[in-house]
């Protein structure tokens, strides 16, 4: 077993584009659940809409800024359509509705009636929509080695994508940090704890919930763009499991915290890479194939989520007195 390669792969996963994309998705979910108490189980729907909005606009010939704006607009419209009839529901009913809404987005995306637009179940190939993002890079072509890490400058899995992804994650974390200390954020926390008390003070609880749903959804749409830039837009890749990965990341790091989603995403993907890399090297193929090792890694993710909810629902950085998922 090449331990140096294993350590390099695990360390590289800490700042990979996928890690940044899920950290941003968890930041958006943190606005929904951590700040406001909304049990949104459809964050993957916002991610998929953002990915479609960006990819379809780019393929149509629009510039990068316009494609990003379309992705944001898709998330805003989806949040309004989703929120108007559902935000007065109790938490468990809201969870059911949001996961159903995300599934509707996925099924519409893979519908054969929209093959020319979305590519149906085959999705949209990456080379068709990455040109504007790569064209915006200030770096020359080629590759760059920093320490043990060697990546291309402008390709799909590049330094340019890592730089942009983590800058967006840091901006998202700063936004949440500022909101948590603003009067608007304090109202959201009040709604999370006791919305009847906030309503008695004359606040429009529905409007505040809608604002939180839109903001978290827009952040989720941006994470969808980051997620598909190293790969293709494939609707089944952003289905129900993706939402549960985002929840695991949020609960692992700690809901209602600023850095919890970032720490959770790093630990989630690095640990998964460590398990898979170690088992591929240590377990003979006669005992477990590569595909079975892949599935075993995800089984461990599910067990981790269950253990978190049972033993440490506030996560690694969270405060049990402030927020725990089993406290509602």
């Amino acid at each position: 077993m090449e331990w140096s390669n294993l350590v390099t792969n695990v360390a590289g996963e800490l700042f990979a584009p996928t890690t940044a994309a899920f950290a941003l998705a968890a930041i958006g979910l943190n606005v929904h659940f951590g700040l406001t108490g909304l049990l949104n189980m459809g964050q993957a729907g916002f991610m998929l809409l953002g990915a479609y909005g960006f990819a379809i606009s780019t393929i149509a010939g629009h510039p990068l800024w316009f494609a990003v704006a379309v992705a944001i607009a898709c998330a805003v419209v989806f949040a309004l359509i989703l929120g108007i009839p559902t935000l007065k529901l109790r938490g468990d009913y809201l969870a059911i509705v949001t996961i159903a809404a995300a599934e509707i987005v996925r099924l519409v995306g893979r519908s054969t009636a929209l093959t020319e637009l979305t590519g149906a179940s085959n999705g949209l190939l990456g080379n068709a929509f990455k040109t504007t993002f790569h064209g915006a890079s200030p770096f020359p072509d080629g590759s760059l080695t920093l320490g043990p890490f060697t990546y291309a400058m402008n390709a799909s899995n590049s330094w340019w994508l890592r730089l942009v992804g983590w800058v967006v994650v840091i901006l998202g974390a700063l936004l949440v940090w500022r909101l948590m200390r603003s009067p608007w954020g304090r109202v959201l926390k009040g709604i999370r704890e006791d919305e009847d008390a906030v309503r008695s003070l004359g606040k429009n609880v529905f409007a505040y919930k809608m604002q939180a749903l839109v903001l978290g959804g827009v952040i989720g749409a941006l994470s969808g763009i980051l997620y598909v830039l190293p790969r293709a837009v494939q609707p089944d890749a952003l289905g129900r499991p993706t939402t549960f990965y985002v929840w695991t990341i949020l609960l692992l790091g700690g809901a209602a915290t600023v850095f919890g989603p970032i720490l959770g995403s790093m630990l989630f993907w690095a640990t998964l890479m460590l398990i898979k890399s170690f088992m591929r090297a240590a377990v003979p193929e006669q005992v477990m194939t590569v595909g079975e090792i892949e599935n075993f890694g995800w089984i461990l993710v599910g067990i981790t989520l269950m253990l978190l909810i049972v033993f440490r629902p506030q996560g690694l950085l969270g405060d049990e007195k402030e927020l725990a998922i089993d406290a509602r």
Side-chain angles (χ1 to χ4, degrees):
M1 182 185 300
E2 293 288 342
W3 287 102
S4 59
N5 290 339
L6 189 149
V7 172
T8 300
N9 291 337
V10 172
E13 202 68 13
L14 291 173
F15 61 98
T18 299
T19 305
F22 274 83
L24 193 60
I27 289 173
L29 185 62
N30 198 25
V31 174
H32 291 159
F33 177 70
L35 278 182
T36 320
L38 299 175
L39 274 175
N40 170 28
M41 300 299 290
Q43 187 71 342
F46 287 103
M47 295 175 70
L48 184 56
L49 279 173
Y52 272 134
F54 175 81
I56 293 172
S57 301
T58 304
I59 293 171
H62 296 293
L64 179 64
W65 68 267
F66 185 86
V68 174
V70 170
I72 292 173
C74 289
V76 172
V77 172
F78 182 61
L80 293 174
I81 294 174
L82 178 63
I84 289 173
T86 63
L87 285 180
K88 292 182 179 178
L89 295 176
R90 210 175 62 190
D92 44 1
Y93 291 114
L94 178 64
I96 295 171
V97 172
T98 49
I99 198 170
E103 276 299 283
I104 290 172
V105 173
R106 183 181 68 84
L107 292 173
V108 169
R110 74 195 311 279
S111 169
T112 54
L114 299 174
T115 300
E116 292 187 4
L117 188 66
T118 64
S121 59
N122 292 326
L124 300 170
L125 296 178
N127 291 335
F129 62 86
K130 297 174 183 175
T131 52
T132 55
F133 179 78
H134 293 163
S137 171
F139 303 124
D141 291 334
S143 61
L144 175 67
T145 299
L146 290 177
F149 307 109
T150 300
Y151 301 110
M153 294 300 292
N154 299 314
S156 296
N157 189 26
S158 63
W159 288 111
W160 169 236
L161 178 55
R162 282 172 167 76
L163 176 64
V164 172
W166 284 104
V167 166
V168 176
V169 169
I170 291 170
L171 291 176
L174 288 174
L175 175 64
V176 171
W177 173 78
R178 187 68 189 87
L179 289 177
M180 289 176 73
R181 286 156 180 78
S182 70
W184 186 79
R186 287 192 284 274
V187 172
L188 292 188
K189 286 185 177 180
I191 293 172
R192 184 191 69 200
E193 300 302 326
D194 188 344
E195 65 178 68
D196 289 332
V198 175
R199 193 176 287 110
S200 68
L201 296 174
K203 301 294 184 183
N204 188 333
V205 171
F206 179 84
Y208 277 95
K209 283 184 173 181
M210 181 63 76
Q211 293 163 18
L213 184 66
V214 170
L215 177 60
V218 167
I219 296 175
L222 295 176
S223 73
I225 297 174
L226 291 179
Y227 180 76
V228 298
L229 279 174
R231 49 182 66 82
V233 180
Q234 215 289 326
D236 292 336
L238 289 170
R240 294 184 304 278
T242 301
T243 291
F244 288 105
Y245 302 158
V246 178
W247 269 100
T248 303
I249 287 167
L250 180 63
L251 296 179
L252 177 62
T257 64
V258 175
F259 296 107
I262 299 174
L263 176 64
S265 185
M266 287 180 164
L267 289 177
F268 179 88
W269 290 107
T271 304
L272 196 60
M273 175 61 73
L274 175 64
I275 293 170
K276 292 178 180 178
S277 299
F278 179 80
M279 292 189 67
R280 284 170 190 160
V283 179
E285 193 167 348
Q286 294 82 0
V287 177
M288 191 175 285
T289 65
V290 174
E292 289 170 338
I293 291 174
E294 186 82 12
N295 293 332
F296 182 76
W298 293 118
I299 290 172
L300 292 182
V301 169
I303 294 174
T304 303
L305 178 59
M306 289 189 289
L307 293 176
L308 276 171
I309 292 176
V310 172
F311 294 107
R312 194 172 175 80
Q314 75 273 23
L316 296 175
L317 299 181
D319 183 352
E320 190 175 11
K321 294 179 180 178
E322 181 176 6
L323 180 65
I325 192 171
D326 64 348
R328 58 196 54 253

